[in-house]
Amino acid sequence: MEALSGPLADEQPDIAYQMWKIIHKCNQDDDPMVSFVLNLRSEASAQPNTPLQEHLMQKLETLKKAERDLLNQIEVKSNAREKLAMEMKKFDVTLKQLDEKKKSIRLHQKYTDSCLKDLTNQESMLKLDQIKPLLYTQGQDYPNDQPPISHQQQLKGPVRQELPAGVGTYAGLNSSGNLQSTTQPTSAQANAVAMEPIATEAAASKRSTSGGPHFDSMTGMTDARRIDAVLWHLQNRQVKEGDIQRSLSEFEMFCVSVDEAPWEAATYTHWVRGIHGLLQHLLSALPVVQAHILRCLIEIVKRWNSNIQTGRGRPDGEPMMPDVFVQDHALDHFVKLLQSVNLEVKADVAVLVTTLTTDITLKDTFGNAGGIHALVQILKQKSNDFVLEKALTCVWHMAMSDTNKTIIREAGGLVAIVDLLHTDNDVILENATIALGYLTRDDSNKIAIRKCNGLEKLIATLYYPSESIQSKAAGALWNCASNTENKVVIRQLGSIAALIDLLSSRNESVQENAAGGLWNCAVDTENKRLVRELGGLQPLIHLLSSPVESVVENASGTLWNCAAIGENRVAIRKLGGLDPLLKLLLAHNENIQENAAGAIRNCAINDQNKVALKDLGGLHLFIDLLDKTKYSVLEKLTSTLWICSINNDNKHVIRECNGFPKLLKVLDHENFSIKEKALGILRNCSTLAENRLALISCSAIAKLVEILSGPPEKLTSGMREYAAATLWNVARDDKVTARNEGAIQVLTNLLSDRSDSVVENAAGSLLSLTLNTDNRDHLRDIGGIQALVKCLSSTNEFILENVTGALKNCTSNNERNQKLLRDLDAIPKIIGLLKCGNENVVREAALCLKNLAQNEENNDLIGRSHGVTELVNLVETSPSDSIKKVATFSLSTLAKNPSNKALIPVNLILEVGHLRSSHHVHR
């Protein structure tokens, strides 16, 4: 394409040229568009119009995409800034409200102090003496008759059967908390009792002797008196609502302020009685009174929970406090009150249920009673933030039960909670993420949250400017990521990058849950790769040095998963991750040890990492820990040593750090996998001559024979294979000890194993051992030759090679063995192996026939069985010079028989004769 010096000859002018003309008309020297167009011009000069247009369109699309990404980031930051501004405003408003409340409380406190100063001890005594005769006599509740006249005269007014206005029928409490009729004091008198302080122990003693109730302690009398007073107010219909509220408020304050242990034998029954009475009036009371009753019950339950935590439970023979609620069907009442139109009642019920249902059984009972559905309705209505907070708190407490997790989902609670993730209320948002954290422990809920687009909203919450909320959102995402499909969706929604960013948070809880989420996500192969590409390996390695064990555990677990792919193994080494992982093997936390061992094992698959681990002292550490760790860590350490022992330098290191005695000791472990891996290490190490001598010196042969002689059910196929292979290697240097320790017998037994690998290694061991003359006879005496002959029918070429080689050794200059093979009809089978496609098998078979032909009868039988013909065919047609030479050697022996010599072509007679005249001996 020519330079753009003017319009082109085409009817349609070049686009770049037109743009160039427009820009130059602007006469703006500093306009950035000029540079842009000049660049386009240079590009246009190198390519035709159509590719240029496509190139421009691609650049345009790239710019648009970058613009969209930038706008999205601006929008996210703007939203975060707006939320932060709103939170600051709310904080200012809350601060002002707190100041106002503080002032109000101080005024109330001054007023209370002045009231208490006005009430002298003498006035309090008088009020108590006025009310006691109507309540008790000698520590007992009065029946339906009147108290003695002498006590009645203490009241102002005449004594008569019809009580004056303001005095109704008193409902005394029996042991069950039910009310029974008797005369009762006025509202003012009852208030006096409820509010009266007891100044001294002497005053308490004086009251006890004046006909009032008698208890073992001052606290007992106070508790019983206050409980009776508040229940009297609830029972008496003539008492004003304000007095009832005041009485309940005072009782609530009393429950909050009391410091004594309330569950002594003298007081516990009164509290049980009080709960019965409060619950009896709960449904029938006005909403305002219901709220007061609920708050009183909340404080009572808190005291119960506090005593349980400190080890001070109920007195012997008394019911458990939660059982009292169950007996009165309180949970059913609570379900009804959750549907109240009064918001305060709803909130208080939610708090009470949360406080009461501390065990799973009560949670399940409440859920089955319809409580979950009622709570979910509150979540859906979103009528009041305060009620919503309490309901959410109650929901996530209920979600601790597996049964309730299902009920919440089926009631639509999961969707309702997900919808709350868009709120700007920190408390609601935090409770919503907590609830999702519990709910997503259920597999069905993990699927449900994905289907309702909850993952997307949960991931967005990771960016919320609150570390506490970030932590809980990451925790919920951690749970969700255990689902296979969720792992993919989480990656597609960009969560991997968000979780990696949270690894750098200063909040340790955020670090823990973010690393946990990545741990589950990294089960997916694509996610493993993405963690590396997004720079996640470096912060994970950094977290290995965290002082918080849970953070280290999750970070090391994530690295374990990530190290399952080759690129990550290299990256972990280059980022310096191997050294901190090795140090974690010495951690006190066994989970951390296991994760570190798993990560190291995966990294060791890389050849350069094998060398790096050696250089860092890893092999010495592995050997040192073989007898100091639990089986799950030991399994990974032996696996790592097995992998590392492929390297010859590492084989030397294992010997030098006294690894063989420890590995032999590991063979006594009850775990099959660990024993199998230990045998694999010994097999690899025994390929070196120095190591074979070291193994022999520490009685490795005897230990291997002991293992192979054990019960079959305690031997895996791998254990048998690796033990036989190790004997094969060790037998190269000591064939006598192997025979004396019984190795030939156990190897013979393995020839009938179902596993080809086991048979191959057993036959290989016998191939090595039968190089010894005495071992050939010993093998025959224990039936080993018969077992080898049976293996000639195998289709496995490796087995055939080793078996034929062992038979070749056994028949070398051993007439008894040569005759035994003829008697076992083995010669035709060996001749048949000359047609095998494996050169090694053919070579061993030809040499075996040569040894067998030393016996005249065998020589004749080989000829009659077409052995000579097959050997001649090999000489004439085999492409391998080695096979031709071996076949010719065999023919030289067979040619001693005239009948066989006649079968050999004339052109081969001279060659065979030449070989016979030579002094080469092949066995």
Side-chain angles (χ1 to χ4, degrees):
M1 183 176 178
E2 297 180 357
L4 296 178
S5 58
L8 299 178
D10 299 347
E11 294 181 359
Q12 296 180 348
D14 188 283
I15 296 174
Y17 174 74
Q18 292 296 328
M19 293 177 64
W20 179 75
K21 288 176 63 180
I22 293 170
I23 295 301
H24 272 279
K25 288 180 181 180
C26 297
N27 294 324
Q28 297 179 0
D29 296 335
D30 297 329
D31 194 333
M33 286 300 295
V34 174
S35 299
F36 175 73
V37 174
L38 291 175
N39 289 337
L40 292 180
R41 176 183 178 184
S42 63
E43 292 182 7
S45 63
Q47 54 186 338
N49 288 344
T50 301
L52 174 60
Q53 293 176 8
E54 293 177 355
H55 179 65
L56 291 175
M57 292 302 294
Q58 290 177 359
K59 281 197 171 184
L60 183 60
E61 289 298 325
T62 302
L63 290 172
K64 288 182 178 180
K65 183 178 178 182
E67 182 184 13
R68 287 195 300 269
D69 293 342
L70 184 59
L71 289 174
N72 289 336
Q73 293 179 12
I74 292 173
E75 183 180 359
V76 170
K77 292 182 178 180
S78 298
N79 292 338
R81 183 180 299 173
E82 290 175 3
K83 289 183 179 180
L84 184 61
M86 292 178 64
E87 292 301 320
M88 290 296 296
K89 291 180 181 179
K90 288 177 62 178
F91 178 78
D92 292 338
V93 173
T94 304
L95 189 61
K96 291 180 181 179
Q97 292 176 350
L98 289 174
D99 289 338
E100 293 176 358
K101 288 183 179 180
K102 186 176 180 181
K103 293 178 182 178
S104 177
I105 291 172
R106 287 179 177 175
L107 290 174
H108 181 71
Q109 184 177 2
K110 291 180 180 179
Y111 173 75
T112 303
D113 292 340
S114 64
C115 290
L116 289 175
K117 289 179 181 179
D118 293 339
L119 292 174
T120 62
N121 289 338
Q122 183 176 2
E123 289 173 335
S124 299
M125 292 284 291
L126 178 60
K127 292 177 182 179
L128 181 61
D129 292 339
Q130 288 174 344
I131 194 61
K132 281 179 183 176
L134 296 178
L135 297 178
Y136 309 102
T137 177
Q138 298 303 320
Q140 300 293 329
D141 290 342
Y142 287 119
N144 291 331
D145 56 337
Q146 296 289 338
I149 298 277
S150 58
H151 292 291
Q152 289 279 352
Q153 290 174 350
Q154 297 179 22
L155 296 174
K156 296 180 180 179
V159 177
R160 44 184 158 181
Q161 294 295 326
E162 295 183 2
L163 297 177
V167 181
T169 302
Y170 171 67
L173 294 171
N174 57 26
S175 60
S176 301
N178 298 320
L179 301 172
Q180 52 187 8
S181 177
T182 182
T183 55
Q184 65 182 27
T186 63
S187 173
Q189 293 166 340
N191 282 336
V193 175
M195 298 179 61
E196 177 185 1
I198 297 179
T200 63
E201 184 176 354
S205 176
K206 181 178 180 181
R207 299 178 190 191
S208 178
T209 58
S210 63
H214 176 73
F215 297 101
D216 294 336
S217 68
M218 179 178 68
T219 302
M221 184 169 65
T222 304
D223 291 357
R225 190 155 44 83
R226 290 183 181 274
I227 291 170
D228 287 345
V230 74
L231 294 179
W232 179 88
H233 280 85
L234 289 172
Q235 173 64 22
N236 191 349
R237 297 181 180 179
Q238 298 182 9
V239 177
K240 296 180 181 179
E241 183 180 338
D243 293 335
I244 295 175
Q245 294 181 36
R246 189 181 306 109
S247 177
L248 288 168
S249 296
E250 294 291 339
F251 183 68
E252 179 187 354
M253 293 176 62
F254 167 72
C255 292
V256 173
S257 62
V258 68
D259 294 329
E260 296 85 359
W263 310 128
E264 299 174 357
T267 62
Y268 187 84
T269 55
H270 299 296
W271 287 100
V272 172
R273 184 161 54 86
I275 293 174
H276 282 302
L278 291 171
L279 291 174
Q280 182 177 354
H281 296 285
L282 182 59
L283 289 180
S284 60
L286 294 174
V288 178
V289 177
Q290 287 176 338
H292 281 289
I293 293 175
L294 289 169
R295 286 196 289 271
C296 290
L297 291 172
I298 290 170
E299 295 304 326
I300 293 174
V301 174
K302 285 182 178 178
R303 293 178 68 187
W304 162 260
N305 292 340
S306 176
N307 277 267
I308 290 297
Q309 292 174 1
T310 56
R312 298 177 299 186
R314 59 186 172 86
D316 294 337
E318 295 296 335
M320 300 284 285
M321 189 65 70
D323 294 340
V324 177
F325 285 84
V326 174
Q327 291 170 5
D328 286 355
H329 306 287
L331 296 180
D332 295 329
H333 299 343
F334 298 158
V335 173
K336 294 178 181 179
L337 290 176
L338 283 173
Q339 305 169 30
S340 171
V341 296
N342 187 287
L343 298 178
E344 189 176 7
V345 171
K346 285 184 179 180
D348 289 337
V349 171
V351 175
L352 178 55
V353 171
T354 303
T355 309
L356 178 65
T357 54
T358 54
D359 63 84
I360 298 299
T361 302
L362 279 176
K363 288 179 172 63
D364 290 341
T365 303
F366 181 74
N368 294 328
I372 298 295
H373 288 79
L375 288 169
V376 170
Q377 286 302 313
I378 296 175
L379 300 184
K380 292 179 178 179
Q381 292 169 1
K382 305 177 185 178
S383 57
N384 179 275
D385 282 0
F386 181 74
V387 178
L388 207 54
E389 293 171 10
K390 304 305 178 186
L392 263 175
T393 303
C394 190
V395 166
W396 66 257
H397 272 275
M398 294 299 110
M400 294 179 185
S401 159
D402 293 338
T403 303
N404 288 342
K405 289 182 178 72
T406 302
I407 297 175
I408 292 171
R409 181 185 70 251
E410 294 175 348
L414 186 61
V415 176
I417 295 170
V418 167
D419 290 341
L420 292 174
L421 292 177
H422 286 315
T423 183
D424 57 356
N425 184 310
D426 280 6
V427 179
I428 293 177
L429 187 56
E430 183 164 3
N431 280 291
T433 51
I434 294 174
L436 291 175
Y438 280 108
L439 289 170
T440 51
R441 296 179 183 180
D442 178 84
D443 290 338
S444 298
N445 287 342
K446 295 170 186 174
I447 298 172
I449 195 173
R450 181 182 72 245
K451 291 183 176 180
C452 70
N453 298 324
L455 290 177
E456 183 176 1
K457 297 175 182 177
L458 195 59
I459 291 169
T461 310
L462 294 176
Y463 295 97
Y464 196 85
S466 165
E467 291 180 338
S468 178
I469 293 173
Q470 288 175 349
S471 171
K472 294 172 177 63
L477 204 62
W478 179 1
N479 293 340
C480 293
S482 64
N483 178 276
T484 302
E485 294 182 31
N486 285 354
K487 292 179 177 69
V488 178
V489 175
I490 288 171
R491 178 181 71 247
Q492 294 171 345
L493 292 173
S495 178
I496 303 297
L499 291 172
I500 289 174
D501 289 342
L502 293 181
L503 293 177
S504 302
S505 171
R506 295 182 180 181
N507 186 288
E508 293 163 345
S509 179
V510 175
Q511 295 173 352
E512 174 189 353
N513 290 336
L518 288 172
W519 188 356
N520 275 352
C521 286
V523 174
D524 179 85
T525 302
E526 183 63 21
N527 288 345
K528 293 181 178 74
R529 180 192 62 77
L530 193 59
V531 169
R532 181 190 76 254
E533 293 179 351
L534 294 175
L537 294 179
Q538 184 65 68
L540 285 169
I541 292 172
H542 176 73
L543 291 180
L544 296 180
S545 303
S546 171
V548 182
E549 287 189 346
S550 56
V551 174
V552 178
E553 181 178 346
N554 290 350
S556 57
T558 307
L559 287 171
W560 179 4
N561 283 350
C562 289
I565 62 175
E567 297 88 345
N568 288 354
R569 296 173 193 139
V570 176
I572 289 172
R573 181 188 75 248
K574 291 183 176 180
L575 291 171
L578 293 179
D579 187 50
L581 285 171
L582 288 172
K583 292 178 180 178
L584 291 181
L585 293 176
L586 301 174
H588 297 295
N589 186 308
E590 292 182 343
N591 293 332
I592 294 176
Q593 285 183 334
E594 183 176 358
N595 291 346
I600 292 170
R601 178 186 62 185
N602 286 349
C603 288
I605 297 174
N606 178 275
D607 289 338
Q608 291 177 298
N609 287 349
K610 294 181 179 70
V611 177
L613 288 170
K614 172 180 69 67
D615 294 341
L616 291 170
L619 298 182
H620 287 79
L621 180 61
F622 301 154
I623 295 296
D624 184 58
L625 292 174
L626 287 180
D627 55 356
K628 299 177 183 178
T629 57
K630 67 174 186 177
Y631 80 93
S632 60
V633 179
L634 181 60
E635 188 269 340
K636 292 171 181 61
L637 290 179
T638 51
S639 180
T640 306
L641 280 170
W642 188 10
I643 296 169
C644 289
S645 63
I646 297 173
N647 180 285
N648 282 338
D649 290 337
N650 290 345
K651 295 174 185 177
H652 286 293
V653 173
I654 292 173
R655 180 190 73 251
E656 291 167 357
C657 62
N658 200 30
F660 293 152
K662 288 196 173 185
L663 287 168
L664 291 174
K665 188 176 180 181
V666 171
L667 296 179
D668 294 327
H669 201 281
E670 59 183 8
N671 184 278
F672 291 170
S673 178
I674 292 174
K675 294 170 70 172
E676 185 174 306
K677 291 174 175 61
L679 287 168
I681 300 168
L682 294 174
R683 180 197 65 179
N684 288 350
C685 291
S686 62
T687 58
L688 297 181
E690 300 93 332
N691 288 350
R692 290 196 292 271
L693 295 175
L695 286 168
I696 293 170
S697 65
C698 59
S699 304
I701 295 177
K703 189 64 179 180
L704 294 170
V705 171
E706 177 189 339
I707 290 174
L708 292 175
S709 302
E713 62 273 11
K714 292 187 176 182
L715 290 172
T716 65
S717 176
M719 291 169 62
R720 296 192 296 272
E721 175 187 349
Y722 303 143
T726 306
L727 284 173
W728 185 358
N729 290 333
V730 174
R732 298 178 185 179
D733 297 328
D734 192 341
K735 296 174 175 55
V736 176
T737 302
R739 179 182 71 248
N740 295 337
E741 294 291 350
I744 295 178
Q745 180 64 65
V746 295
L747 290 169
T748 299
N749 296 338
L750 291 180
L751 292 176
S752 59
D753 197 275
R754 295 180 179 179
S755 170
D756 284 355
S757 297
V758 174
V759 177
E760 175 192 346
N761 284 284
S765 298
L766 293 174
L767 169 63
S768 179
L769 289 168
T770 51
L771 292 173
N772 178 279
T773 305
D774 294 335
N775 287 347
R776 299 169 192 167
D777 294 331
H778 180 68
L779 181 63
R780 180 189 66 246
D781 295 340
I782 64 173
I785 293 180
Q786 291 88 330
L788 287 170
V789 170
K790 289 181 180 180
C791 292
L792 291 175
S793 58
S794 174
T795 58
N796 186 299
E797 293 179 349
F798 297 105
I799 293 176
L800 291 174
E801 177 184 351
N802 292 340
V803 167
T804 310
L807 291 174
K808 174 200 69 176
N809 292 341
C810 289
T811 56
S812 177
N813 299 321
N814 192 311
E815 293 185 5
R816 294 185 61 183
N817 288 348
Q818 294 167 2
K819 183 177 180 302
L820 179 59
L821 257 67
R822 182 180 71 246
D823 295 341
L824 294 172
D825 199 24
I827 292 178
K829 295 180 180 179
I830 296 173
I831 293 173
L833 294 178
L834 296 176
K835 299 178 181 180
C836 180
N838 186 294
E839 288 189 8
N840 294 330
V841 176
V842 173
R843 181 186 302 105
E844 297 299 327
L847 292 173
C848 185
L849 289 173
K850 176 184 179 299
N851 290 341
L852 288 168
Q854 293 173 356
N855 179 281
E856 294 182 1
E857 294 182 30
N858 288 349
N859 197 319
D860 183 66
L861 178 59
I862 291 171
R864 287 186 287 106
S865 300
H866 308 290
V868 175
T869 304
E870 292 297 333
L871 289 168
V872 169
N873 184 55
L874 287 174
V875 174
E876 294 178 342
T877 63
S878 176
S880 171
D881 293 338
S882 174
I883 296 298
K884 289 180 180 180
K885 189 173 183 179
V886 169
T888 304
F889 270 118
S890 299
L891 288 172
S892 67
T893 304
L894 290 166
K896 295 177 181 180
N897 184 299
S899 300
N900 290 340
K901 185 176 182 180
L903 298 174
I904 302 173
V906 177
N907 60 327
L908 295 179
I909 292 296
L910 293 177
E911 184 177 353
V912 170
H914 174 71
L915 289 174
R916 287 182 59 187
S917 63
S918 66
H919 299 294
H920 291 247
V921 179
H922 285 262
R923 291 179 182 176

